[in-house]
Amino acid sequence: VQLQASGGGLVQAGGSLRLSCAASRRIINFGRMAWYRQAPGKQREVVASITVRGSTNYADFVKGRFTISMDSADSTMYLQMNSLKPEDTAIYYCYADTLYYGSIGTNDVWGQGTLVTVSS
């Protein structure tokens, strides 16, 4: 199974974007899925995560601005990003610690990343 991230682009400060992370196969269960980001010259950091029970966690720097969600019917995870700031500029990656499709489970799945650029 693969994860495909999309939705990145160029936006002005204060604007919004919605990132999507679609699984290549129908996911029947998962452990924890998350969005990470990596800015130029910086380490990759977690932005937000969601569990199969719908429990969410956010990094302090996005609380109140970003919302993570999961559409199980479409096996797609989303990240709604509002009030974007120039410091949000980064490549955003989706990640799953465990994905189950059919009777098969796979661990540590990363999407390819989508670039978000916020201009001032």
Side-chain angles (χ1 to χ4, degrees):
V1 64
Q2 296 177 333
L3 297 176
Q4 179 76 34
S6 62
L10 174 63
V11 64
Q12 288 187 332
S16 298
L17 282 174
R18 188 193 196 201
L19 305 184
S20 299
C21 175
S24 59
R25 301 189 63 168
R26 184 174 181 272
I27 302 302
I28 62 172
N29 204 353
F30 66 96
R32 169 183 169 271
M33 295 186 70
W35 287 98
Y36 286 75
R37 72 185 187 185
Q38 187 166 18
K42 295 187 176 181
Q43 289 189 333
R44 192 173 296 189
E45 58 186 359
V46 63
V47 174
S49 65
I50 187 167
T51 68
V52 67
R53 289 192 169 93
S55 177
T56 58
N57 275 291
Y58 297 92
D60 287 343
F61 51 78
V62 303
K63 281 182 179 177
R65 300 189 297 125
F66 292 10
T67 302
I68 189 172
S69 61
M70 181 72 183
D71 186 337
S72 297
D74 288 340
S75 298
T76 302
M77 178 176 64
Y78 298 97
L79 185 69
Q80 177 67 43
M81 305 187 296
N82 299 326
S83 302
L84 283 161
K85 305 175 182 180
E87 50 264 43
D88 293 319
T89 295
I91 299 174
Y92 284 71
Y93 299 89
C94 52
Y95 167 81
D97 64 354
T98 308
L99 292 176
Y100 295 94
Y101 51 101
S103 61
I104 300 173
T106 186
N107 299 325
D108 294 325
V109 184
W110 286 93
Q112 89 289 359
T114 184
L115 176 63
V116 172
T117 303
V118 184
S119 63
S120 57

